[in-house]
Amino acid sequence: MHYQDELPVAAAQINAALGEVDANLERHLEIIHEAGQRGVALLVFPELSLTGYGLGGEVMRVAMPVEDPRLARLARACGEMQTVVGFVEEASPGEYYNALAILQHGEIVAVHRKLNLPTYGGLEEGKWFTHGSELTQAEVRPGWSATQLICADLWNPALVHAALLPRPTVLCAPINSASGIVSEDFSNEQNWVLNVRFYAMTYGTPVIMANRFGPENGSHFWGGSRILGPRGEALAEAEDGEGLITATLSRTAIAQARFELPTLRDADTPLIRELMAGYR
């Protein structure tokens, strides 16, 4: 099997119109077309990119099953490019997930349901959504695979560790981060950069972090979308405003980083399992 050493990737920093799925869909199609023109192989949109974040009781109205024709339309537009899109999934009547649709080859190849629903500070996700219970991973092309975690999933280190144990080559991190949403003293702007840089460096795994930029219901989403290499180095950083950032990842660079700092090789899962056995 022939592995290509390079993978062109992108993060879309947009601001979704709250509750306006059809308008947001058209914006997605524009960006998918632009990314395709640039030769991107993996494109990541922010969390809940089709709906906006502060939905409250509107969750039910904007939710869609995976069979929704609007998702099918997006999937067809992606072609060979794997695209990660945020939406509210209706799994059954009254059962809704903050979810990602992973689109490629004209279909939904996987769905990731948010595992860690933050319900603190100005965050109320546990009030509106059911939490997911599975990790996801999808092949982008031979030799390249991606796993996806949504926003607060990355603030539970055990979830990140579990997601990276299967050794995906890329970690996709769609987020919705607003200034001061946790507390006045907790800086999302500074701490998110620390968070994703730590994981990229520790696991030798590039991270594509896509955040929103702009206002929503009195909150300001600060952007800061970035693409990090396997040593935590910034390969691309978004400026203030909406836009598409791109970078090219190197499989050789990932191998070198993991060889020099073998976090995954030395994870010792049996020991961790034994140490955790007494905790609930």
Side-chain angles (χ1 to χ4, degrees):
M1 183 180 295
H2 175 66
Y3 294 155
Q4 295 183 18
D5 185 67
E6 294 186 337
L7 187 77
V9 302
Q13 181 166 286
I14 62 171
N15 191 38
L18 185 62
E20 302 296 331
V21 175
D22 291 338
N24 294 327
L25 176 73
E26 295 302 320
R27 181 71 175 125
H28 280 62
L29 290 170
E30 293 173 1
I31 293 172
I32 287 169
H33 177 73
E34 179 183 350
Q37 292 291 102
R38 294 200 201 181
V40 170
L42 175 59
L43 169 64
V44 181
F45 283 90
E47 174 186 16
L48 294 175
S49 58
L50 282 173
T51 65
Y53 183 73
L55 294 162
E58 291 291 285
V59 162
M60 183 172 68
R61 181 181 66 82
V62 303
M64 60 183 78
V66 293
E67 298 83 7
D68 192 287
R70 290 169 292 184
L71 290 176
R73 184 182 174 196
L74 282 176
R76 289 193 299 271
C78 295
E80 298 300 304
M81 177 174 62
Q82 186 169 115
T83 303
V84 180
V85 172
F87 75 113
V88 177
E89 180 197 5
E90 180 188 74
S92 69
E95 180 187 3
Y96 306 112
Y97 293 91
N98 179 339
L100 301 173
I102 296 89
L103 311 172
Q104 195 174 21
H105 310 303
E107 62 184 11
I108 299 175
V109 298
V111 171
H112 174 69
R113 296 168 171 173
K114 192 170 184 176
L115 302 161
N116 183 28
L117 299 177
T119 307
Y120 49 79
L123 305 165
E124 297 185 331
E125 292 184 42
K127 184 176 179 180
W128 307 110
F129 296 108
T130 302
H131 70 81
S133 58
E134 296 181 353
L135 297 167
T136 54
Q137 185 171 326
E139 182 181 80
V140 180
R141 60 171 53 159
W144 290 91
S145 62
T147 192
Q148 303 80 27
L149 292 172
I150 304 173
C151 204
D153 289 349
L154 287 110
W155 291 99
N156 184 326
L159 293 178
V160 181
H161 183 71
L164 295 179
L165 280 177
R167 293 165 172 75
T169 37
V170 185
L171 170 60
C172 300
I175 73 171
N176 259 333
S177 178
S179 299
I181 194 70
V182 175
S183 74
E184 292 183 2
D185 296 324
F186 186 92
S187 171
N188 275 332
E189 293 87 338
Q190 294 179 26
N191 292 330
W192 263 113
V193 175
L194 178 64
N195 177 295
V196 293
R197 186 179 180 191
F198 168 79
Y199 288 126
M201 177 273 300
T202 302
Y203 290 92
T205 301
V207 177
I208 306 170
M209 186 191 94
N211 190 23
R212 289 170 60 187
F213 184 90
E216 182 191 276
N217 284 352
S219 294
H220 173 69
F221 291 85
W222 53 275
S225 301
R226 62 198 56 235
I227 301 170
L228 303 181
R231 299 182 189 276
E233 73 278 22
L235 302 178
E237 298 181 10
E239 299 179 354
D240 288 352
E242 295 187 271
L244 183 70
I245 59 170
T246 61
T248 299
L249 305 181
S250 164
R251 199 168 182 273
T252 298
I254 295 168
Q256 188 69 31
R258 293 183 182 182
F259 184 74
E260 293 175 3
L261 184 65
T263 303
L264 292 167
R265 186 197 71 188
D266 297 343
D268 202 346
T269 301
L271 174 61
I272 300 300
R273 186 181 295 117
E274 180 180 338
L275 293 171
M276 293 293 294
Y279 296 91
R280 291 179 179 270

